[in-house]
Amino acid sequence: MRKTARFAASAAAGLLALSSLTACANDAASSTHTGSGGGGGKGEHVKIMVGGLDKVIYMPAMLTQRLGYFADEGLDVELLSEPAGVQAETALVSGQVQGAVGFYDHTLDLQTKGKYVESVVQFSHAPGEVEVVSNKAADKIKSPKDFKGKKLGVTGLGSSTDFLTKYLAVKNGVKVSEFSPVAVGAGPTFIAALEKGSIDGGMTTDPTVATILDKKAGKVLVDMRTPEGSQEALGGPYPSSSLYMQTDWVNGHKETVQKLANAFVKTLKWMSTHSADEIAAKMPADYSQGNKALYAEAIKSTLPMFTTDGVMPQNGPETVEKVLKAFNPNIQNADVDLSKTFTTEFVEKAAG
């Protein structure tokens, strides 16, 4: 059964000038490009913006390319990277790219603002996110109940880390106006902010989490890298990383979308039958930042979040809606049609 989605800029993303982003994103974003012959320029060209290519939560994007599955489908996929998922969405809405790899939750928020977008491959059934606190603040922040008055890092304002941080606060009796979200990105910028005291804690993913723990720069407060962690923190499965696209484009390019789904589902199945070390070995060498063992450990910690078939988890959209309704006035005051935020048409065909 067809399901579609409406997509629009999230609260903070709406403040961004789309025309400005379109003009500069190609210069700002890193890019990787592999064609059906392995050297680019062959097959149908598709651009996909990823909210951080080196983040383990978005690993299927680069891994699919490294395994050659895009090429096997006759696609010439160009992967671009921005530091936050909210920027990937903005690039999609602006028409700069045909697809985005980011969190599913934005499809609900953006549906209320009149843009039509749908998740076509669901990579995950848990957020893969971790709330960490600095060693200096660890005695003061024992749970999200202690967020009041604190500076908390997120990848970007209006990002999924921003959404989830607000939910954890509200769920634990802290108003969104009582703490300060700080956009610090991920990786070195997040870690530097934590070490310098620019933030007291924050939400991030692997390999940043693994590096923080290895450097003893902070401690884990809330771990949502597994379905169990998602259930405990959010009350159910939380579909997060996914491939989503503008519905009009999907409807006009079904053959291409099917090829993308075929490639990604093949990758998810491959991931479920290989070890973290084997997966790490397929990824670009610089993703390990000189520590292959730590990178493999980061992958191992995050692997439980991924689906094996790209199918939206049962009750996942309802959990996401509940989370967003807790703090987002746009969702609170709107009737969101969850059936229009994703489709299983392509992954079901990919499964054969």
Side-chain angles (χ1 to χ4, degrees), residues 251-289:
N251 291 338
H253 301 80
K254 286 198 172 188
E255 186 177 342
T256 302
V257 176
Q258 188 62 60
K259 290 177 180 179
L260 288 167
N262 293 346
F264 278 124
V265 169
K266 195 174 179 181
T267 295
L268 291 169
K269 289 179 179 176
W270 188 93
M271 288 167 56
S272 71
T273 58
H274 289 76
S275 69
D277 287 325
E278 290 171 322
I279 295 170
K282 290 289 184 182
M283 300 298 285
D286 60 339
Y287 282 20
S288 68
Q289 299 180 13

Side-chain angles (χ1 to χ4, degrees), residues 7 9 121 138 143 179 228 235 275 299 342:
F7 202 94
V121 183
S143 82
F179 70 93
E228 295 78 14
S275 69
I299 291 174
F342 67 98

Side-chain angles (χ1 to χ4, degrees), residues 215-234:
K215 296 179 71 172
K216 295 180 172 54
K219 300 175 181 179
V220 171
L221 187 70
V222 180
D223 192 338
M224 295 177 285
R225 289 176 291 188
T226 66
E228 295 78 14
S230 177
Q231 179 71 42
E232 183 178 352
L234 307 174

Side-chain angles (χ1 to χ4, degrees), residues 239-254:
S240 56
S241 57
S242 62
L243 170 70
Y244 51 78
M245 313 178 88
Q246 295 204 57
T247 297
D248 284 346
W249 199 91
V250 171
N251 291 338
H253 301 80
K254 286 198 172 188

